[in-house]
Amino acid sequence: MSLRHQAFSAAFKAIALTGADRWAKDLAQGAGMILTLHHVRPWRERGFAPNRLLEITPEFLDLTLTLIKAQGYDIVSLDEAVARLQSPLSQRFFVALTFDDGYRDNLDHAWPVLAKHGVPWTLFVTTGFAERTARLWWLEMEEAIRALPRFTLDLPDGGFSARTESDREKQRTFETLYWRLRKGPEAILLSTISDLARQAGIDSAALVERECLPWETLRSLAGAPGVTIGAHTLSHPMLAKHPEDFARVEIVESKARLEQELGLPMRHFAYPVGDPGSAGKREFALARAAGFTSAVTTRPGHLFDRHEQHLHALPRVSLNGYHQSEAALRALLSGLPFLLWNKGRRLNVA
């Protein structure tokens, strides 16, 4: 676990020990929150696991839903969450569940838990994953570094060489290379990771086939009770790094493609990656113009009444695989970490 995540863990424990999740709730808690999830599956110990933050266990999902209900909160669909923002009344705190990308384990391991609790959920689908044309580049990077004892890459801003024999070396290399690539154009990121995958003999298409739901399964899922399908672009790009016409096509055509394949209207959209460097005011306007009822970011925070004026820039709260504890859950539900993170601001839409 990185120093950053160690600090988060310490903060969650401190909030729990001081009871701040209870006494600060009236100050920090909003009307509700939208949870972000990716993988849900049994944990497999594998040492080097740089994408662990995207993965929680079915047991932790069960604990999450049990605790939300025990607190007296409502678990609602994304449609209902938007409706409550549009008609703010004296209602109970609510939670909406969203799953990004369209992974097989969402059906294999998450859905049984969701069905047990009888709660609605939204699956944001990247059409290129269903069609096996887009790339899980973060997973390619993980698998390549796991396979290689050392490697060298040519980058526009200078070469990159690393020895990756131990898990610690692999983790350090992943974090250094990941953030170096994230700072630059996405085309360089993709080409660099393609080079790395070739060196390691990683089949990018096979990873998508292994991890992601195909169209036939999505068609069976569409319209199932409690399930909402939303759009998550054609190829999962960081939209803000691209020209406006490219971003518009990714947003508009993903909606059209899903509606064509599934025969249902797509009312909700999720920005890939979803941080300020990947989605901003331009993307918010594009999602609104495309006809989506709402669009969600990964900017952390609760929902407040004023978000009714910013339905295409909604914050979400990540269920992070590094912080699978009741203390973390209680802190997230209280809203206190986001009051501190956002420096007292209830809106973070700039």
Side-chain angles (χ1 to χ4, degrees):
M1 189 186 298
S2 68
L3 290 175
R4 179 169 174 261
H5 285 291
Q6 289 178 37
F8 287 153
S9 290
F12 293 147
K13 290 176 183 176
I15 289 172
L17 286 171
T18 60
D21 57 301
R22 297 186 299 276
W23 58 258
K25 188 164 57 176
D26 290 342
L27 172 67
Q29 193 177 63
M33 72 177 184
I34 303 171
L35 288 177
T36 309
L37 300 94
H38 290 83
H39 292 286
V40 178
R41 57 195 178 194
W43 175 246
R44 177 174 58 86
E45 184 55 55
R46 52 194 183 274
F48 172 62
N51 290 306
R52 184 179 183 178
L53 75 167
L54 301 177
E55 177 177 352
I56 66 167
T57 66
E59 292 77 17
F60 184 63
L61 178 59
D62 186 48
L63 172 64
T64 298
L65 301 180
T66 299
L67 180 61
I68 291 170
K69 289 181 172 182
Q71 293 289 307
Y73 303 147
D74 295 332
I75 301 177
V76 304
S77 68
L78 206 47
D79 284 327
E80 175 65 16
V82 170
R84 291 194 182 193
L85 287 176
Q86 292 175 322
S87 301
L89 300 171
S90 179
Q91 297 176 328
R92 293 190 298 185
F93 184 81
F94 63 86
V95 178
L97 305 169
T98 63
F99 296 75
D100 286 8
D101 301 339
Y103 295 115
R104 292 182 184 271
D105 57 61
N106 293 172
L107 262 62
D108 296 339
H109 299 293
W111 203 6
V113 179
L114 298 164
K116 169 189 168 184
H117 287 270
V119 297
W121 56 290
T122 296
L123 180 67
F124 286 115
V125 174
T126 296
T127 61
F129 294 153
E131 294 167 348
R132 306 333 193 206
T133 56
R135 293 171 53 193
L136 297 163
W137 57 261
W138 54 97
L139 184 55
E140 293 175 28
M141 187 173 167
E142 175 181 342
E143 296 290 350
I145 293 175
R146 177 177 289 110
L148 293 169
R150 62 185 57 82
F151 63 88
T152 298
L153 297 168
D154 292 324
L155 297 173
D157 59 349
F160 183 94
S161 296
R163 187 178 71 175
T164 50
E165 295 176 353
S166 68
D167 286 343
R168 179 173 293 183
E169 289 171 337
K170 292 179 187 298
Q171 183 69 37
R172 183 170 59 246
T173 297
F174 183 97
E175 291 176 2
T176 302
L177 182 60
Y178 177 90
W179 288 112
R180 180 168 168 181
L181 292 174
R182 277 285 304 273
K183 290 177 182 177
E186 193 163 22
I188 292 174
L189 178 151
L190 292 173
S191 64
T192 300
I193 295 176
S194 288
D195 182 15
L196 185 62
R198 280 193 297 270
Q199 291 186 44
I202 301 299
D203 185 337
S204 302
L207 290 180
V208 178
E209 175 64 30
R210 184 186 82 191
E211 298 292 336
C212 298
L213 294 165
W215 279 124
E216 54 265 34
T217 306
L218 291 167
R219 292 188 194 103
S220 299
L221 182 63
V227 179
T228 299
I229 306 266
H232 198 36
T233 71
L234 298 171
S235 63
H236 204 276
M238 290 173 271
L239 293 167
K241 288 178 172 284
H242 295 272
E244 183 172 338
D245 287 346
F246 176 92
R248 181 181 293 106
V249 167
E250 286 279 338
I251 294 170
V252 172
E253 291 303 318
S254 65
K255 185 177 190 292
R257 186 83 178 97
L258 283 163
E259 290 177 343
Q260 177 188 31
E261 288 288 341
L262 305 182
L264 294 171
M266 295 296 116
R267 298 182 296 274
H268 307 285
F269 180 81
Y271 305 101
V273 183
D275 66 337
S278 304
K281 287 186 176 181
R282 186 192 72 176
E283 288 68 43
F284 304 158
L286 289 173
R288 185 184 308 111
F292 288 105
T293 301
S294 79
V296 296
T297 69
T298 59
R299 300 182 187 210
H302 279 196
L303 299 170
F304 294 90
D305 291 347
R306 289 173 59 196
H307 279 107
E308 190 272 332
Q309 300 297 320
H310 302 277
L311 292 177
H312 298 85
L314 297 178
R316 287 192 290 175
V317 174
S318 175
L319 277 192
N320 189 303
Y322 285 124
H323 309 295
Q324 299 183 68
S325 69
E326 184 173 335
L329 279 175
R330 290 184 180 277
L332 297 177
L333 288 165
S334 76
L336 185 56
F338 314 116
L339 184 71
L340 301 174
W341 180 276
N342 293 317
K343 300 177 182 178
R345 294 175 299 168
R346 292 189 167 190
L347 295 181
N348 181 13
V349 296

